[in-house]
Amino acid sequence: QEMLGTATGQGKSDITDDQLARRLSNAMKDELAESMAACTRAATDDIARQLCRDILTDQVLSTADNRTKHSKGDKNQALKEAGKAAATDVVKDCQGTREECLTRLREKAAESMGRRPEDLTEVEVERLNEEGSKEAAKESIKSCTSAKKDNAQATCGDALAVYAAGRGKGDLDALEQRRVKQELAEDLENSTRGVFTVVPSR
């Protein structure tokens, strides 16, 4: 709490347990994604990839929650979050066609989940693309809100445009715009207790 307070210009007492838990969770996802990708690249067979999944998820989760044993469900959820973190990075950076970006997403997400690219189904890849696009949009909203705290006249990008670019399917129709705006607002409210709830519109 002291370190986070110093980094964010707040006092230790200003950092709630929820804020600390969210930061630890986000750090865990990124750390697991990076470590798992490195381990998977070095793995030569399915047994080695399984060891990557078992050992690394226990290590990273233990750091985050100070427990030594974790259920299969805990590990699977952590791996899904690691895959989503990798998908978000691809969504934000990929400049190619939708097919090229989905191929890259499949490769990076699979590495971060300790799996082979061909093991991910088309449904899983689409889900990861959807989740990664939403995460990228939420990050743009958070950046916007933070900027406006410092300067009320600051201009922000369009979160819906960020989402649409990540999906690579062209402009959103009115129905999908409403759906995505509602989901982004709900996700942000749930994760930050209402701190970031305004979704920039077109």
Side-chain angles (χ1 to χ4, degrees):
Q1 284 176 321
E2 289 176 357
M3 293 174 65
L4 183 56
T6 300
T8 59
Q10 299 173 281
K12 176 182 176 181
S13 60
D14 296 324
I15 304 300
T16 67
D17 289 343
D18 284 343
Q19 287 176 309
L20 186 59
R22 286 195 299 273
R23 292 298 184 106
L24 284 173
S25 177
N26 289 335
M28 180 274 291
K29 289 185 287 187
D30 292 339
E31 174 65 22
L32 182 57
E34 293 177 9
S35 299
M36 190 65 68
C39 190
T40 302
R41 285 194 293 269
T44 57
D45 54 33
D46 289 340
I47 294 176
R49 280 185 285 273
Q50 183 64 54
L51 286 173
C52 288
R53 293 194 294 272
D54 288 340
I55 294 172
L56 290 179
T57 49
D58 261 335
Q59 287 180 346
V60 174
L61 286 171
S62 294
T63 301
D65 62 19
N66 202 31
R67 290 189 290 128
T68 56
K69 296 293 184 181
H70 299 89
S71 69
K72 183 177 180 179
D74 289 338
K75 293 180 180 181
N76 286 339
Q77 184 58 39
L79 289 170
K80 287 181 181 179
E81 293 297 327
K84 184 165 69 173
T88 303
D89 287 341
V90 171
V91 163
K92 291 190 295 186
D93 296 336
C94 190
Q95 300 296 317
T97 65
R98 172 172 164 79
E99 290 72 20
E100 291 169 342
C101 291
L102 287 180
T103 296
R104 183 179 172 195
L105 185 152
R106 178 188 291 274
E107 294 170 350
K108 296 299 182 183
E111 280 186 348
S112 298
M113 299 168 74
R115 298 168 65 181
R116 298 177 302 172
E118 57 267 31
D119 292 337
L120 291 182
T121 66
E122 295 299 326
V123 171
E124 287 179 297
V125 172
E126 280 293 339
R127 175 180 55 79
L128 286 165
N129 176 251
E130 163 85 10
E131 292 177 346
S133 299
K134 286 173 66 176
E135 286 298 314
K138 285 186 282 187
E139 287 181 16
S140 75
I141 295 169
K142 292 177 182 180
S143 297
C144 172
T145 304
S146 179
K148 284 187 175 294
K149 284 183 179 179
D150 296 330
N151 179 6
Q153 304 304 316
T155 58
C156 300
D158 185 346
L160 289 178
V162 172
Y163 171 86
R167 293 292 280 153
K169 293 182 174 181
D171 292 336
L172 308 179
D173 61 30
L175 181 61
E176 190 168 13
Q177 285 187 38
R178 287 195 297 271
R179 176 186 66 80
V180 174
K181 286 173 67 174
Q182 181 177 349
E183 290 177 359
L184 290 176
E186 289 174 353
D187 286 352
L188 288 166
E189 186 171 10
N190 289 336
S191 65
T192 61
R193 293 185 179 273
V195 175
F196 302 110
T197 57
V198 178
V199 180
S201 60
R202 290 184 180 275

